[in-house]
Amino acid sequence: MDMFVIEGGVPLAGTVAVSGAKNSALPLMAAALAAEGKTVLRGVPRLVDVDTLSLLLQTLGVQVRRDAEDALTLEVVDEQPHVADYELVRRMRAGFCVLGPLLARRGRACVSLPGGCNIGDRPIELHLKGLRALGAEIAIERGYVVATAKRLRGTHVDLRGPLGSTVTGTCNVMIAAALADGESTIESAACEPEVVDLGKLLNAMGARIGGLGTSILRVQGVRHLAAAEHTVIPDRIEAATLMIAAAITRGHVTLTGVRTDQLTNVLDKLRQIGVPIEVGQDTVEVRGGLPLRPVDCVALPYPGLPTDLQAQLTALLATVPGVSVVTDKIFPDRFMHAPELVRMGARIRREGNSAVIDGVERLSGACVMACDLRASAALVLAGLAASGTTVIRRIYHLDRGYERLESKLSRLGAKIIRTTDEPANFPESLRLAEESAQPIRKFDLPEQIDGPKWFQQLRSDRLKSRSDSLER
Ligand code: EPZ
């Protein structure tokens, strides 16, 4: 298992390109199930979730390849398989996105319920409501959604849930409606850019979908969808995370390949905090240095502040003296990052679906545990800003949704290294005094690993203090 070791306090500087959007690439890949021929997706980021979905699609008769230009090609070669296995869907909820296309194209689907999640309840009843409205027979058997439909029929369905619409639910129902008989109206549809991106691919495949980007989608069903080519939109959450990395280290960073029109609310909020931001055609320049101001943030459905950015904003505001309140109206329990930030000296208390933050001048490095994708990103941001060394364990959570984040940050000057999670790689500075004074059990130390000078120094201090304590 890997961990990050970060030496904080370095203001980031330089230029960084934003990768393709994870939450767009995944439904786009699932849509390939509904089309005849070879779908080509450009700009698909290299992520664990993409690999997991590729595996799942291969079990469903889809050949998935990366071509010479790094585009992802997906070709349906066998339409018999219809079971999406628990082992793969439990690793990545977005696997549930295969339900709509499988049902629409093959008339049957058996998809594992996604299972638990660290950010809170993740129901799927709205997905099933939409598919049932289109005429599907659906039962829940032994942890699986078992769905059949001879021919889906156009209908009117409202996807409003108690906490807003559903992004992947809209994706599932939109794909199914695209192949239904007759016209469908999907009310309270999610308006996220990732849903719009999927709608554009479906229309390129021959679907007839209107109202993309609004909460009312009108879909005229067609008999067939033909494979198409499409470029994934940039990842707005990665972009915002990198902007916050510049702001929290008081650095000066320019992001390229940004869809700034999809980040209006985020840019406004960062400016409200006092982060100087220059916006170009597809670039964003973030300058540090100025004193920042505490603010309140509320995570809402698009175009509101994204819930996927709530943890990162919490990390930033934890370093801004004064009281800020961060509220998540989509995932009220999405605060697993808060106790880990408190280990770094943050002053945060939970109040229902809010975190009340009393910002401090400086966080201090500590050993912390990543627990979900965006919480991991928040801990990286905090480590970049903290004084001293931070170790972040279980960074496999981060690898699900950020493409080579440590390389991007290193190129901006961050002192961050990925290493194996084992005692020898644990920096001395993170040991409590009495703990390091105790005679440490002799380990068979692994051979010296590579890494930048600062990391070698950290490691040799550790080894030296260990031999001293053994001699005492
Ligand atoms: C998508 O998840 C994203 N994932 C999430 O990003 C994102 O946080 C979320 O949308 C909200 O924006 C992907 O796109 C792969 P929802 P999804 O269904 O579709 C409630 C990340 O970090 N709800 O839009 O699963 C639900 O409880 C991930 O990249 C119902 O009530 O989320 C929540 O409160 C995490 N009934 C709200 O709707 C349902 O049937 C939004 O959920 C479905 C959802």
Side-chain angles (χ1 to χ4, degrees):
M1 205 180 288
D2 287 352
M3 66 183 187
F4 279 161
V5 178
I6 302 174
E7 266 309 288
V10 177
L12 300 188
T15 301
V16 61
V18 174
S19 300
K22 165 183 86 83
N23 289 347
S24 182
L26 298 174
L28 294 173
M29 289 167 68
L33 281 164
E36 292 155 10
K38 190 182 282 190
T39 299
V40 179
L41 299 177
R42 292 189 179 77
V44 175
R46 288 182 172 276
L47 302 171
V48 168
D49 275 6
V50 168
D51 298 341
T52 305
L53 186 56
S54 299
L55 269 178
L56 176 60
L57 291 173
Q58 284 166 43
T59 67
L60 293 167
V62 183
Q63 229 167 37
V64 186
R65 297 264 186 286
R66 284 264 182 189
D67 70 16
E69 288 83 51
D70 206 35
L72 203 66
T73 62
L74 303 103
E75 186 170 11
V76 177
V77 293
D78 178 2
E79 297 208 287
Q80 285 316 304
H82 66 283
V83 179
D85 189 78
Y86 170 65
E87 264 320 296
L88 290 168
V89 176
R90 76 179 175 80
R91 275 193 239 167
M92 182 207 49
R93 285 182 51 76
F96 200 66
C97 276
V98 302
L99 177 62
L102 270 183
L103 184 64
R105 175 78 190 159
R106 302 184 186 178
R108 56 181 184 159
C110 187
V111 180
S112 166
L113 286 166
C117 173
N118 280 336
I119 66 175
D121 272 355
R122 306 295 296 274
I124 48 95
E125 89 287 347
L126 294 173
H127 299 238
L128 308 188
K129 174 186 174 186
L131 296 174
R132 282 191 174 109
L134 286 164
E137 296 286 325
I138 294 182
I140 308 285
E141 290 170 19
R142 296 191 301 285
Y144 280 77
V145 171
V146 182
T148 54
K150 281 199 183 38
R151 182 89 179 98
L152 295 172
R153 292 180 315 282
T155 186
H156 168 273
V157 62
D158 189 320
L159 291 182
R160 180 183 305 280
L163 297 164
S165 184
T166 164
V167 172
T168 48
T170 303
C171 294
N172 261 330
V173 176
M174 181 166 66
I175 296 177
L179 283 172
D181 237 350
E183 174 145 355
S184 298
T185 308
I186 304 173
E187 240 183 286
S188 309
C191 309
E192 272 66 6
E194 294 75 23
V195 175
V196 175
D197 208 25
L198 173 64
K200 285 182 176 169
L201 170 64
L202 292 171
N203 282 343
M205 289 174 157
R208 294 164 59 189
I209 302 169
L212 287 172
T214 75
S215 60
I216 299 182
L217 298 176
R218 285 176 314 286
V219 186
Q220 181 59 49
V222 294
R223 295 293 291 176
H224 297 286
L225 292 176
E229 305 204 0
H230 184 80
T231 300
V232 181
I233 54 172
D235 195 316
R236 60 194 170 103
I237 305 301
E238 186 203 25
T241 304
L242 292 167
M243 288 181 216
I244 294 177
I248 203 169
T249 58
R250 309 319 189 245
H252 180 182
V253 174
T254 299
L255 282 76
T256 59
V258 188
R259 276 288 300 272
T260 54
D261 60 312
Q262 296 172 352
L263 285 160
T264 313
N265 240 314
V266 171
L267 295 168
D268 289 352
K269 186 55 72 175
L270 289 175
R271 285 183 172 124
Q272 196 190 339
I273 295 171
V275 180
I277 286 179
E278 288 291 322
V279 175
Q281 178 66 29
D282 68 347
T283 61
V284 173
E285 185 182 358
V286 180
R287 289 176 185 283
L290 294 175
L292 301 181
R293 296 183 288 270
V295 299
D296 293 348
C297 303
V298 182
L300 291 165
Y302 190 84
L305 272 180
T307 172
D308 294 345
L309 200 64
Q310 179 259 99
Q312 300 91 312
L313 284 167
T314 302
L316 174 60
L317 293 167
T319 70
V320 177
V323 178
S324 301
V325 180
V326 175
T327 302
D328 196 322
K329 298 259 187 181
I330 296 184
F331 293 117
D333 294 327
R334 192 177 194 170
F335 291 98
M336 300 278 279
H337 46 284
E340 296 302 312
L341 291 171
V342 167
R343 284 179 53 75
M344 298 178 71
R347 291 197 295 247
I348 304 173
R349 86 170 179 279
R350 276 290 305 281
E351 280 188 8
N353 63 353
S354 297
V356 180
I357 303 158
D358 182 8
V360 295
E361 284 292 342
R362 197 102 171 133
L363 296 174
S364 49
C367 174
V368 291
M369 195 76 81
C371 47
D372 69 69
L373 169 56
R374 307 304 176 182
S376 323
L379 297 178
V380 171
L381 296 175
L384 293 174
S387 57
T389 314
T390 296
V391 166
I392 304 175
R393 310 175 79 167
R394 297 187 184 169
I395 52 168
Y396 58 84
H397 289 289
L398 194 91
D399 295 335
R400 292 190 44 204
Y402 286 91
E403 187 174 43
R404 303 188 319 280
L405 183 62
E406 74 272 19
S407 331
K408 293 190 175 184
L409 293 173
S410 299
R411 281 204 297 280
L412 294 173
K415 287 184 163 182
I416 178 170
I417 184 171
R418 176 189 292 259
T419 183
T420 46
D421 185 342
E422 57 189 86
N425 293 335
F426 230 77
E428 176 52 26
S429 57
L430 289 184
R431 296 254 162 215
L432 281 177
E434 62 277 10
E435 188 190 346
S436 56
Q438 284 156 9
I440 307 275
R441 218 167 25 87
K442 197 138 180 54
F443 292 89
D444 302 330
L445 294 184
E447 70 294 338
Q448 184 79 10
I449 65 156
D450 296 335
K453 278 268 165 290
W454 63 270
F455 183 68
Q456 302 286 353
Q457 188 55 47
L458 272 181
R459 202 168 181 282
S460 62
D461 293 352
R462 170 104 186 85
L463 299 178
K464 183 176 173 317
S465 77
R466 169 179 295 143
S467 52
D468 294 353
S469 60
L470 286 177
E471 275 151 27
R472 272 198 289 271

